[in-house]
Every structure is written in C-alpha cells, then in structure tokens.
Amino acid sequence: MNQILIVEDDMALSRGITLALKSDELTFKQAYSCKEAMDLLEKENFSLIILDVNLPDGNGFDILQSIRAHSFVPVILLTANNLETDIVAGLEMGADDYIAKPFSLMVLRARVNTQLRKKQVNQTDIVKIGPFAFDFVNMRYEKNNIAIVLSKTEQKLLRILVENKGITLSRANLVDRIWTDGAEYVDENALSVTVKRLRDKLEDKEDIVKYIKTVYGIGYTWVV
C-alpha cells in the first residue's frame, strides 16, 4: 500500500487530487500549510509527496529541502506559474517532477503513476541488510529510512565490503580496488581514514552490531 501526502492549501483542489488518484492501492494524508506538512513528515512515511510551492505560512521549497536532508521519497511540485526559475530551482533541490497550475487531474495522475513505477523499479536494485537500504546504482543510502550522505570513496569501500559480505579483504586489496585512478602511491592511512568516516556514518553508539569489523593484521570485513 502506497501512502501519498498532498500539501496544498486550496482545500477544493486537494480534495479533487485525492478523488482523481483514488485507488485500492493508495491512501492519502492532506496538509494545508508548511507546519501541518512538517508535522506529518515527522510522524509518518510516504511513498510520494505532491507539494505546492506557495503555501500560506511559508515556501514549499523549504519543505523540499527538509525532505531531501533525510529522504529520497519522490516529490512532485505544484507551481502557480510556469516560470523557468521556479522549475529549475525545484529540480536542483531534488524534486522529481513538476506540474504548473492550472493542470489536468488526468495529467497529474499519469505523473504520479510514473513516479510510483520508477520507485518500484528502483527498489529491485536496492540491497537491504538489517536497517540499511543501499542503492548502489542511484547512489542512495539509507539507515532506518534516513538518508546517509557518502563520499565517492566511501561509496566504493561500502560496495566492495557489502558485495564480499563475510569475506576478509586485505588492506592492500582494498587500496588497489578503491584508488584505481592510476596514482603511483596511496598512503595506507587513507584507507584507515575512509573506514573510520564510513563507520561514523553507518554505526551509532547504541548499535549492538558493528557492521565493519577490523581483522587485525589483515584488513576488514562486513559482518552482517
């Protein structure tokens, strides 16, 4: 079941969107202000968000930035005009699509279905281990549905460890596989620093399991 959040201060339009999208596979939550939207986003998870840019107590772009700080949920922006600057700003902030008012509810429905299909397809490429969801193709990483931002080097290290789960990889092997840019010499300390940074991003102090294990004198392994 997919749950959709509609953030639109025009109650009639919000109801119209809900009726147009109504399906046995969809449920809806409605917010009519930035505050209501933020409250719902803190309490619940959504499969897709329809977000009006102009709201009575703030700007939809602020909500979008807050969402992208911790989630990659698809977001479709509703804009009051077709200004190129608004469209570009929204897409650069991480919106997946936009539609300018006034719009056809049939067109909106088609856009929503497209985003939900993309989400479903992308999920088949996601590696799920414990609390983690690693999408190596789209470079998206989450722990307990919260986004984790990784550098390119950290992404390389994580992928190698996960794809060789349970196998101890030597430090020399990892250095050779991560730094493949033709550099003549890479200080092994660079690997230690990268491992520490990756651990800091993946492992919380309260975690019983430590996911990246040091095998002293040899290298590292992903243990989960």
Side-chain angles (χ1 to χ4, degrees):
M1 182 71 71
N2 291 308
Q3 180 165 237
I4 294 178
L5 174 61
I6 302 170
V7 186
E8 168 60 61
D9 61 310
D10 184 329
M11 292 187 180
L13 179 55
S14 182
R15 286 194 298 270
I17 292 172
T18 303
L19 290 172
L21 298 178
K22 190 175 180 180
S23 159
D24 291 339
E25 298 177 355
L26 300 177
T27 61
F28 302 91
K29 292 286 184 177
Q30 293 164 295
Y32 305 104
S33 66
C34 287
K35 184 180 184 306
E36 289 180 6
M38 295 304 294
D39 288 345
L40 283 170
L41 287 165
E42 287 180 5
K43 298 173 185 175
E44 303 194 41
N45 292 320
F46 296 94
S47 300
L48 183 140
I49 299 169
I50 298 171
L51 176 60
D52 188 17
V53 170
N54 299 304
L55 294 164
D57 61 340
N59 193 308
F61 290 142
D62 295 332
I63 298 175
L64 177 59
Q65 284 184 312
S66 177
I67 292 168
R68 284 294 174 259
H70 61 82
S71 174
F72 297 106
V73 59
V75 176
I76 298 177
L77 291 180
L78 302 182
T79 63
N81 50 57
N82 204 24
L83 283 179
E84 187 175 281
T85 52
D86 283 353
I87 295 168
V88 171
L91 294 176
E92 288 185 344
M93 286 181 188
D96 297 271
D97 201 353
Y98 72 91
I99 186 167
K101 297 179 181 179
F103 56 84
S104 160
L105 290 173
M106 289 182 64
V107 170
L108 177 61
R109 182 171 184 169
R111 300 280 184 91
V112 167
N113 288 337
T114 296
Q115 292 302 323
L116 291 176
R117 282 196 300 270
K118 284 183 180 179
K119 185 174 185 290
Q120 187 174 16
V121 169
N122 287 340
Q123 282 177 338
T124 63
D125 296 324
I126 295 174
V127 177
K128 293 187 177 181
I129 304 176
F132 298 107
F134 300 140
D135 183 349
F136 293 110
V137 174
N138 296 296
M139 296 180 290
R140 295 179 175 181
Y141 310 91
E142 295 182 355
K143 180 179 181 180
N144 295 322
N145 296 317
I146 297 174
I148 304 168
V149 179
L150 302 178
S151 70
K152 289 185 178 179
T153 303
E154 292 160 358
Q155 291 178 45
K156 284 184 180 180
L157 173 60
L158 176 63
R159 185 164 192 169
I160 293 168
L161 290 172
V162 169
E163 289 181 346
N164 294 274
K165 182 172 62 173
I167 300 172
T168 299
L169 300 171
S170 71
R171 293 177 61 85
N173 183 311
L174 288 169
V175 169
D176 287 343
R177 293 173 68 176
I178 294 169
W179 286 276
T180 55
D181 57 358
E184 292 183 5
Y185 174 75
V186 175
D187 189 338
E188 277 201 16
N189 185 55
L191 177 61
S192 299
V193 171
T194 303
V195 169
K196 183 181 185 305
R197 288 176 177 168
L198 183 59
R199 278 178 170 151
D200 289 344
K201 292 180 179 182
L202 297 181
E203 300 176 354
D204 299 320
K205 290 182 180 178
E206 61 269 21
D207 286 338
I208 296 175
V209 177
K210 299 304 177 185
Y211 308 99
I212 302 173
K213 179 183 177 182
T214 300
V215 181
Y216 290 98
I218 303 177
Y220 303 94
T221 184
W222 183 275
V223 299
V224 179

